[in-house]
Amino acid sequence: MRKYLYSFEFPTDPTWKATSHIYHQNTRYMHSRQTELVLSDTGWHCSFCFKHISEFVDKMKAYSHADRVKNKDHLDHKKIQEKICNGDDLYDMLPEEYTFKDLIGKMGSVPRSASAVHLPTYLIENAEKFKFLLPGGCLRPPE
């Protein structure tokens, strides 16, 4: 599953690997992978892919990481808009990595992609309706 941030202009890494598990009477739920059966190209996940700035603010305040909003500047519409267009972290946080090498490699803005390869067909066929999700469509109305 390919992952994106704000729109399909900002692919993030790594992709998720969807798996399949055959359940039976004694199967118990586990969040971790339970099988070696990995599915390929299973879809898309787009974090914070909203049309309006107000939706970003709502999620930032209600999100499970609401504690990351350290000051009112994080909720300023103009600053949020700038971060969306640049691919910057909304919370001004460092990437969540486990090694210094990976951390340094991911510091800064998310690299842009102008490619429409692997994007949902419906999205491309309805580009005008979903221009905010396509490369170059970063500007969001307030509401």
Side-chain angles (χ1 to χ4, degrees):
M1 180 178 291
R2 298 175 193 282
K3 293 181 356 182
Y4 298 86
L5 181 65
Y6 309 136
S7 71
F8 290 99
E9 184 171 7
F10 297 105
T12 60
D13 189 62
T15 58
W16 288 344
K17 291 186 170 82
T19 61
S20 179
H21 183 77
I22 299 171
Y23 287 89
H24 52 79
Q25 186 176 2
N26 297 323
T27 299
R28 295 176 59 190
Y29 174 78
M30 293 175 59
H31 192 65
S32 60
R33 190 166 90 186
Q34 299 180 48
T35 179
E36 294 302 314
L37 180 59
V38 177
L39 306 174
S40 65
D41 204 13
T42 56
W44 310 266
H45 177 84
C46 198
S47 293
F48 285 92
C49 291
F50 302 117
K51 186 173 185 175
H52 301 102
I53 296 292
S54 60
E55 295 170 297
F56 285 83
V57 172
D58 288 345
K59 182 168 181 176
M60 291 171 75
K61 292 185 338 188
Y63 184 52
S64 63
H65 297 298
D67 60 313
R68 294 179 178 187
V69 179
K70 301 290 185 196
N71 59 58
K72 290 184 180 185
D73 282 351
H74 284 129
L75 302 176
D76 179 77
H77 286 211
K78 185 177 177 184
K79 290 186 181 200
I80 291 171
Q81 180 63 76
E82 184 178 315
K83 289 176 185 290
I84 294 166
C85 287
N86 292 332
D88 293 335
D89 186 84
L90 289 172
Y91 302 101
D92 297 319
M93 294 183 64
L94 293 172
E96 296 182 69
E97 294 297 334
Y98 298 102
T99 69
F100 285 115
K101 180 181 176 184
D102 290 342
L103 175 66
I104 291 168
K106 294 215 176 159
M107 290 180 76
S109 303
V110 176
R112 295 177 189 276
S113 171
S115 174
V117 175
H118 302 296
L119 296 188
T121 303
Y122 185 82
L123 181 79
I124 295 169
E125 290 173 349
N126 295 276
E128 187 58 35
K129 181 178 181 179
F130 296 107
K131 63 184 175 185
F132 67 98
L133 292 176
L134 296 171
C138 72
L139 296 178
R140 307 297 210 280
E143 295 191 27

